[in-house]
Amino acid sequence: MSRIGKLPINIPAGVTVTLKDNVVSVKGPKGEMSQAVNPSIIVTVENNEILFTIDEANDTVDRKQKQAYHGLYRALVNNIVVGVSQGYKKEMELVGVGYRVSNQGNLVEFSLGYTHSIFIQLPPEIKVETKTERNKNPYICLESCDKQLLGLVCAKIRSFRMPEPYKGKGILFVGEQIRRKSGKSAGAK
């Protein structure tokens, strides 16, 4: 059995959970989300906790796959509960001379040293904030209740200018350390 799947999920105050046809719907102060659960996993809500158990009678999926689903769906529903109650936040910075970022609503414009600016329209579930201060790197803050969507958007933004190991330039998460390389050895004999 999955050790993750055995752990109950505590439902915080202000969050409501409903179950219908193997779909867990969670509503909270930050938003509303739902997750479909495989029929081989039984979901129950009791005493302000969400519990996941493996359905031994269901023979459509083999035992090993049921155990994998057990931990998977518990983790996905936990991410939803945390997202609608607290939300998720990712902070990124642009390291490089002349790199700039600005936004108008959910339309974000990047100037990353290419001959053209890069525009990206973010989904409405994501709130974006950009800052450009003197003598500091441009900064992007992304907030959402959907952890999966937020990770996808951050990966897309990061792909515009991946951090490189020689000068450390690129789009980095705040506090991220890039492993640096020395470059060419001068005066090798």
Side-chain angles (χ1 to χ4, degrees):
M1 268 186 121
S2 169
R3 284 185 241 163
I4 298 289
K6 287 180 187 177
L7 300 173
I9 300 172
N10 292 322
I11 302 171
V15 175
T16 57
V17 178
T18 55
L19 297 170
K20 185 178 181 187
D21 299 329
N22 287 342
V23 175
V24 180
S25 299
V26 184
K27 188 174 183 179
K30 298 272 185 179
E32 183 176 353
M33 294 178 66
S34 61
Q35 173 66 48
V37 178
N38 192 288
S40 61
I41 303 299
I42 300 169
V43 184
T44 55
V45 178
E46 46 190 51
N47 301 333
N48 261 2
E49 289 184 336
I50 306 171
L51 302 169
F52 295 83
T53 53
I54 295 174
D55 185 5
E56 300 296 341
N58 189 341
D59 289 336
T60 58
V61 181
D62 67 323
R63 177 82 180 146
K64 197 167 186 174
Q65 188 64 52
K66 285 181 189 178
Q67 290 175 344
Y69 283 155
H70 191 211
L72 169 74
Y73 288 114
R74 191 266 178 204
L76 291 175
V77 172
N78 186 52
N79 288 345
I80 290 173
V81 169
V82 171
V84 298
S85 62
Q86 300 168 6
Y88 291 100
K89 184 177 182 179
K90 295 273 188 178
E91 298 172 327
M92 304 174 92
E93 62 182 346
L94 282 65
V95 178
V97 177
Y99 289 4
R100 290 189 307 276
V101 64
S102 62
N103 72 306
Q104 293 179 341
N106 273 14
L107 181 67
V108 184
E109 177 186 0
F110 293 92
S111 178
L112 299 171
Y114 297 117
T115 57
H116 58 284
S117 295
I118 298 172
F119 293 90
I120 183 170
Q121 179 68 45
L122 299 180
E125 296 90 8
I126 293 183
K127 295 179 187 79
V128 64
E129 176 190 344
T130 59
K131 284 185 194 171
T132 305
E133 294 179 13
R134 193 169 171 84
N135 296 331
K136 288 191 177 179
N137 293 326
Y139 167 86
I140 311 165
C141 181
L142 301 165
E143 290 184 61
S144 178
C145 62
D146 191 345
K147 186 177 186 179
Q148 202 169 350
L149 180 65
L150 187 63
L152 286 171
V153 169
C154 286
K156 180 66 176 173
I157 290 172
R158 194 176 158 99
S159 73
F160 295 148
R161 188 62 96 169
M162 291 292 288
E164 54 94 16
Y166 297 102
K167 294 183 180 176
K169 293 168 41 172
I171 301 175
L172 290 80
F173 291 104
V174 171
E176 180 182 5
Q177 296 292 320
I178 297 295
R179 213 161 154 200
R180 302 294 294 271
K181 292 184 179 179
S182 63
K184 289 185 178 179
S185 300
K189 295 182 180 182

